[in-house]
Amino acid sequence: MDRDRSLDVAVTGIAARFPGCTSLGDWWSALTAGRVLTTRYGRAELLAAGVPPHVVDDPDYVAVRGHLADADRFDNTLFRISPREAELMDPQHRLMLEVAWAALEDAVVAPLDVRARTAVFASATGSGYMRAIVAGGPLSPGLLDDLVHGTEPDFMAGRIAYKLGLIGPALAVQTACSSSLVALHLAVQALLNGDCDQAVVVAAGFDFPQAGYLHLPGGVSSPSGRCRPFSAGADGVVPGSGVAAVVLRRLADASDDGPQPYGYVLGTAVTNDGAARMGYYTPSAAGQEAVIRAAVDAAAVPADSIGYLEAHGTGTAVGDPIEWSAASAALHDAGPGRIAVGAVKANIGHLDAAAGLAGLIKALLVVGRGVVPPVAGFVRPNPILDLDGSPLVVPTRAAAWQGPLPRRAGVSAFGIGGTNAHVVVEQAPDRAARAGAARRRRVIVLSAADRDALARSARRIADHLDAESPDLADVAVTLETGRAALPERLAVWGRTSAEVAGRLRSGTGVTVGRRPAAGPAPLVFLFAGQGTQYPGMARPYADGLAGFDDALRRCLAAFEPDLRDMVRRALLDVDFPAGQLDDTALAQPALFALGWAAADALAAAGVRPTAVAGHSLGEVTASCVAGAFDLTDAASLVTVRGRAMGSCPDGAMLALACAAESTGDLLAGTGIEVSSVNGPDSCVVAGPVAAIEDLQARARHLAPRRLRTTRAFHSRLIEPALPALAAALREIRPGLTALPIVTNVDGGVVATGARLPAAGLVEQARRPVRLDAMVSSIVETFPGAVAVEIGPGRALSAVLEAAGVPTVGFAGPRSTAPEEAVAAVRGALWCLGHPLVPPARADPGRRLHLPGYPFAGPRRVAPEAVADSASVDRGVAERRAGEDRLATGDGGGPDTPPRPAGDGPAPDPSEVLRRAWADLLGHSDLSDESDFFHLGGDSLLITRVARRVNTELGIRVPVRAMLAGRTLGRQSALVQQLVTDRRPPRGHHQ
């Protein structure tokens, strides 16, 4: 009979940093090999870490610990935490932020954009970091307040929720060694009670500095520096350092397209021993047995279905026999020797508050992979253990799972003080393999807070793609939906994992960019005119741009049925007759439909222009996109325009590499006119076919290039079409524009909310296109904008690029890889800060566990933590003196005394403010554009800046004005103005 799984919880994400390894994969390899990962320190290392010499030289000092490498590094920029604030945070709090972020990424949940109600349950060891700082001498109230907020357990869960944008309950859970497993129990209850939809359980355990320990005779610490749970000769526990996190969801909410769960939590329980024990520090066999039985009952599984137990396993003379006895009694029904016992403390030491999560993660790997690791260092059992009839057995080598199926395990954690926790977990069945997806080109995106992290991330993903060869559709959807969209960005495209990995390493086909601080780079959509068309020109869009097909269908519905069918075939059939498409009556509706549908699909994906412009016919498309015409009216206008111009006399057009002003003598008496001024050394002329052919032969020195058109647009030969165009426009009343339109005739801008003058579209059909003026207007009116050319070519892009405007363009004619250009555009827009446009006709993919953010921040240790009061350096002393001065002022209230006049030179207001920023934020590289809040400041810290300025300059700076100012330059201007406006104090005579 199947279990009722309505109360089961899936573990969807894991992240951890454990001693002696760089990844979970390395850790698992070490566990299965039975390796001990603790470190024995040398004397010099201990002294450098700050351990006093008399302690190091004590004969009872044991120089061993499960050492966590780089525990002082912190990517504070990612979390918008200033260097100074980071220095005052306990390393446990810092690493919990990073590991919580990594666990969400592993669960394919984008940090900073978490949609589900997500709770945080956080645990940590008491702060040795805070003790080290306060031991250096008295701190000012402000500095002490910052230190308390950065180190005390009350604030760690709330900080994680704030920095990651999580809106569920945020609780600190502290029950000594059982803290993190108790936190897991509370998280499961919160999920089942409906308090949240997702939970992050995160814990850290290590002291500061990381070093050895003093063994007290008769105590629980090992004098040998070796933790050997359940083993003969076991003499105690060894401390370790680590941090771990898991992400939980109700099993019913763990979607089929989500990542493969690491396992299921079937039941949890928490108890306390109460007074039924020999002493406060002594564990109780009855209490431990009770919590195991309660968890098994909550899991609704028989005890004999459990094949593995990850024990608390401290390796102590008292604790091991009690735990063995309690677990044997609780799981007796399994039968003798049927449950393998694990004890991860033998490998990494005791992680204190994080020990329970370390055991849980190991148990999940055991049931998930079906391999039972040995207990490191175990040779023969402790003779005190009651082995007769016990269901427990200690493995001495790695072995395949021999227990019942499905694979189930228990995990125990027991805290000093008697709070016991136990969890029952089960393997998650492997997902059925998907049918092979078509190898379409995929865009793979990465982002980071800085360029170095982006490069590291690219290398990690490339290594993973080479090693695992995952389906690229799965990789694409995982990175798109399960990662935060950070400023430094990279996009690459390809059909296979191997291709993408190769491109990431070589840089070929990779686009790199940075999202501007003020938001995504503004875009100007450009729409092509006639002369760029070719059969099948919409295929790249249809194959690579989601929403294009639907938009094209809606656009074509606005045309007459006969024309509608012809336009569709011309756009999508690469074998459509090219000569037929050159007919103006077909070419113009086709180009309009392509431009409008692509712009609509981009807008639906969240990529919207700041302004629009177009060349000739493209201006009609731009006007419709900007809202000046509705789609039906625009289609009617384009139909009339194309037919009317198609009935004009035959003509031709020729591009010349020269200035329009220099063509006078060349064109005199030929009937040819300048039809487009593209730039200082580029123009287009138009006129009768024979005259153009003659000019082409005479002007070889001007690199003449014949355009693909049968009419001489923007010349006198087009005048017969103007009456029909004017009549059509009289039947249409243009609406108010929703976007600025940069016009052809003179580069003027029709502002948002204006009504487009209909006569202007008649005039622009006859007059030369002033592409040069249009480009100048774009440069001047929309600084920093990027041009996106929408159409079959890049003729307009070349002109804008010559003027220094960055451009993004779609494919040219007959691309051998139709999706390549659209993929490039999608990636380029992402790198400019815009949403990633989804692909068309693509298998959405299944989310995977992929390498996450490559944390490798700078080392952050408060100088006060490593210096005693006699050796505090000048910089620290000055900071403390400054803080003491600040403590005597206030934030600009009515009682703030003015600075008394003195004989010395008045301080420079800007320099006073700059020093306050540098001191309180910890940043030295400041400019007028530096943003206080982007550098990690907050509303509380700004009051301290104001306090310092008030005290040093004798003014009253309104805190609200400082908040509004944000940047150093604007705040400096405010302070300077207040100093200038300050009147002498009453009674002061000049």
Side-chain angles (χ1 to χ4, degrees):
M1 181 175 171
D2 291 338
R3 286 181 64 256
D4 177 6
R5 292 201 171 270
S6 62
L7 300 182
D8 290 357
V9 169
V11 180
T12 58
I14 287 177
R17 299 187 200 176
F18 293 136
C21 52
T22 58
S23 68
L24 275 179
D26 290 343
W27 188 61
W28 176 248
S29 296
L31 296 184
T32 55
R35 288 173 49 205
V36 175
L37 299 172
T38 54
T39 296
R40 188 170 291 273
Y41 300 104
R43 187 173 188 276
E45 293 175 293
L46 294 168
L47 295 176
V51 182
H54 71 277
V55 175
V56 175
D57 296 333
D58 191 302
D60 287 325
Y61 188 78
V62 182
V64 175
R65 185 180 191 87
H67 182 85
L68 187 65
D70 295 328
D72 57 346
R73 290 190 178 276
F74 181 44
D75 260 304
N76 57 287
T77 303
L78 174 65
F79 299 100
R80 295 177 72 170
I81 291 175
S82 73
R84 187 56 175 154
E85 182 183 359
E87 286 181 354
L88 296 173
M89 290 175 63
D90 189 309
Q92 295 180 101
H93 289 214
R94 303 180 205 156
L95 293 182
M96 287 163 72
L97 269 173
E98 293 187 348
V99 171
W101 176 293
L104 285 170
E105 286 189 328
D106 191 54
V108 197
V109 176
L112 309 181
D113 189 27
V114 181
R115 307 299 174 87
R117 286 182 306 149
T118 302
V120 180
F121 295 86
S123 306
T125 300
S127 182
Y129 192 69
M130 182 179 185
R131 293 192 294 272
I133 292 176
V134 298
L139 303 177
S140 70
L143 197 60
L144 183 59
D145 192 51
D146 288 345
L147 182 61
V148 167
H149 285 96
T151 58
E152 289 286 71
D154 308 52
F155 308 104
M156 58 193 175
R159 189 192 298 271
I160 292 169
Y162 173 65
K163 289 298 183 181
L164 273 59
L166 312 179
I167 61 171
L171 305 178
V173 181
Q174 298 297 117
T175 61
C177 315
S178 59
S179 294
S180 59
L181 218 56
V182 172
L184 185 98
H185 167 78
L186 295 177
V188 169
Q189 297 302 311
L191 284 164
L192 299 181
N193 290 337
D195 296 335
C196 58
D197 302 309
Q198 182 172 254
V200 178
V201 182
V202 58
F206 52 87
D207 204 354
F208 182 88
Q210 291 192 83
Y213 55 92
L214 274 173
H215 163 68
L216 300 178
V220 298
S221 298
S222 167
S224 67
R226 298 172 60 197
C227 181
R228 292 168 289 183
F230 309 116
S231 182
D235 59 2
V237 71
V238 172
S241 302
V243 57
V246 295
V247 178
L248 308 177
R249 288 186 72 90
R250 289 181 290 266
L251 180 56
D253 297 336
S255 59
D256 290 339
D257 66 348
Q260 167 76 25
Y262 288 96
Y264 302 150
V265 176
L266 306 186
T268 66
V270 172
T271 65
N272 191 277
D273 294 336
R277 47 195 163 136
M278 295 180 62
Y280 178 74
Y281 298 101
T282 306
S284 163
Q288 294 180 13
E289 179 183 348
V291 78
I292 295 173
R293 289 187 184 278
V296 172
D297 288 346
V301 297
D304 62 6
S305 71
I306 294 173
Y308 178 78
L309 172 67
E310 179 61 31
H312 188 59
T314 56
T316 58
V318 174
D320 280 2
I322 289 176
E323 181 174 8
W324 185 276
S325 172
S328 295
L331 303 173
H332 186 270
D333 291 348
R338 299 293 300 277
I339 299 176
V341 174
V344 75
K345 292 179 181 65
N347 304 93
I348 60 176
H350 188 358
L351 305 194
D352 199 72
L357 275 188
L360 176 78
I361 292 171
K362 180 186 173 187
L364 289 168
L365 296 178
V366 168
V367 297
R369 304 191 182 195
V371 175
V372 177
V375 174
F378 182 88
V379 177
R380 62 184 184 279
N382 187 329
I384 302 177
L385 302 182
D386 185 1
L387 303 179
D388 290 343
S390 173
L392 309 180
V393 61
V394 180
T396 58
R397 59 181 179 82
W401 180 274
Q402 299 297 320
L405 299 175
R407 296 188 289 268
R408 291 176 181 152
V411 185
S412 292
F414 309 130
I416 288 177
T419 299
N420 307 311
H422 192 81
V423 175
V424 177
V425 298
E426 179 183 281
Q427 71 177 103
D430 291 335
R431 296 266 173 85
R434 294 194 306 137
R439 287 193 169 185
R440 298 182 182 275
R441 186 165 279 100
R442 309 286 176 170
V443 177
I444 305 301
V445 295
L446 300 173
S447 70
D450 60 75
R451 188 59 60 90
D452 288 343
L454 186 65
R456 293 195 302 273
S457 184
R459 288 194 296 270
R460 291 181 69 184
I461 290 295
D463 290 345
H464 183 83
L465 296 182
D466 277 340
E468 303 296 332
S469 299
D471 188 300
L472 207 55
D474 297 344
V475 175
V477 73
T478 297
L479 295 176
E480 178 184 347
T481 62
R483 301 294 186 266
L486 299 170
E488 297 291 345
R489 299 187 172 194
L490 175 153
V492 61
W493 46 92
R495 292 184 183 275
T496 66
S497 290
E499 181 183 3
V500 169
R503 289 187 166 194
L504 285 171
R505 290 198 171 89
S506 69
T508 304
V510 174
T511 302
V512 178
R514 178 177 176 82
R515 181 188 66 202
L523 304 177
V524 177
F525 280 7
L526 305 176
F527 298 94
Q530 193 170 340
T532 56
Q533 71 279 355
Y534 66 92
M537 58 186 171
R539 285 292 297 276
Y541 297 84
D543 290 341
L545 187 61
F548 178 81
D549 283 342
D550 288 341
L552 181 61
R553 200 174 297 114
R554 284 185 282 117
C555 183
L556 293 177
F559 288 99
E560 301 166 359
D562 290 345
L563 181 59
R564 176 190 313 157
D565 181 65
M566 190 76 73
V567 170
R568 179 187 294 108
R569 289 193 293 117
L571 288 173
L572 299 174
D573 183 359
V574 295
D575 295 322
F576 189 87
Q580 193 172 344
L581 181 55
D582 288 343
D583 182 355
T584 301
L586 178 58
Q588 293 197 10
L591 287 165
F592 169 84
L594 171 60
W596 186 91
D600 187 74
L602 288 170
V607 179
R608 297 179 176 85
T610 297
V612 293
H615 183 280
S616 192
L617 166 74
E619 187 168 320
V620 179
T621 310
S623 299
C624 182
V625 169
F629 301 107
D630 66 28
L631 182 56
T632 300
D633 287 342
S636 175
L637 177 61
V638 169
T639 300
V640 170
R641 191 180 193 273
R643 288 173 178 170
M645 291 182 174
S647 65
C648 291
D650 288 350
M653 303 179 75
L654 193 68
L656 299 174
C658 66
E661 296 81 4
S662 67
T663 61
D665 293 341
L666 196 65
L667 304 183
T670 63
I672 298 175
E673 304 173 54
V674 173
S675 62
S676 178
V677 182
N678 295 346
D681 56 1
S682 177
C683 66
V684 177
V685 296
V689 175
I692 289 293
E693 290 175 345
D694 177 67
L695 176 62
Q696 186 173 7
R698 290 188 291 115
R700 297 292 184 190
H701 60 293
L702 299 179
R705 180 174 55 83
R706 186 83 172 265
L707 302 189
R708 190 163 186 168
T709 176
T710 59
R711 297 293 180 269
F713 298 112
H714 303 282
S715 76
R716 65 175 57 89
L717 293 182
I718 215 69
E719 289 178 358
L722 302 184
L725 186 57
L729 283 165
R730 283 195 293 272
E731 299 298 320
I732 299 171
R733 177 172 172 77
L736 300 180
T737 59
L739 293 169
I741 305 171
V742 185
T743 63
N744 273 189
V745 174
D746 56 6
V749 178
V750 179
T752 300
R755 198 176 299 279
L756 185 71
L761 290 180
V762 179
E763 182 183 10
Q764 69 97 254
R766 171 61 183 89
R767 290 179 57 180
V769 172
R770 289 299 306 273
L771 191 56
D772 59 337
M774 189 173 78
V775 171
S776 296
S777 184
I778 289 172
V779 172
E780 294 171 5
T781 311
F782 308 103
V786 175
V788 180
E789 183 165 358
I790 298 177
R794 292 179 57 87
L796 301 179
S797 296
V799 179
L800 276 105
E801 286 169 356
V805 178
T807 65
V808 174
F810 290 87
R814 305 285 187 185
S815 172
T816 55
E819 296 172 273
E820 180 84 21
V822 180
V825 170
R826 293 173 56 223
L829 291 172
W830 156 260
C831 290
L832 292 168
H834 292 272
L836 181 65
V837 180
R841 302 175 186 162
D843 182 342
R846 177 181 285 173
R847 290 157 180 79
L848 304 173
H849 300 294
L850 291 177
Y853 197 87
F855 294 103
R859 301 188 186 279
R860 300 289 187 199
V861 180
E864 294 89 337
V866 293
D868 61 27
S869 58
S871 61
V872 174
D873 64 28
R874 179 179 297 274
V876 174
E878 289 178 352
R879 279 202 295 273
R880 284 185 172 162
E883 291 288 347
D884 291 339
R885 289 195 301 273
L886 294 183
T888 65
D890 69 15
D895 297 328
T896 303
R899 180 186 178 91
D903 296 330
D908 176 18
S910 296
E911 185 57 30
V912 169
L913 183 65
R914 184 181 295 271
R915 285 201 310 269
W917 274 46
D919 182 34
L920 296 174
L921 292 172
H923 284 283
S924 57
D925 185 16
L926 299 170
S927 68
D928 284 350
E929 290 72 37
S930 296
D931 187 296
F932 188 79
F933 298 98
H934 287 169
L935 294 179
D938 54 34
S939 58
L940 183 62
L941 200 61
I942 202 75
T943 64
R944 294 168 62 190
V945 173
R947 184 182 303 166
R948 171 171 288 188
V949 172
N950 290 341
T951 302
E952 294 200 25
L953 298 178
I955 59 176
R956 296 184 178 94
V957 181
V959 173
R960 184 172 298 176
M962 294 285 277
L963 286 168
R966 293 185 67 102
T967 68
L968 181 60
R970 289 199 293 269
Q971 289 187 7
S972 294
L974 168 67
V975 171
Q976 183 66 60
Q977 188 63 47
L978 290 171
V979 171
T980 302
D981 293 345
R982 184 183 62 201
R983 297 179 179 177
R986 182 177 299 175
H988 177 77
H989 299 285
Q990 298 187 36

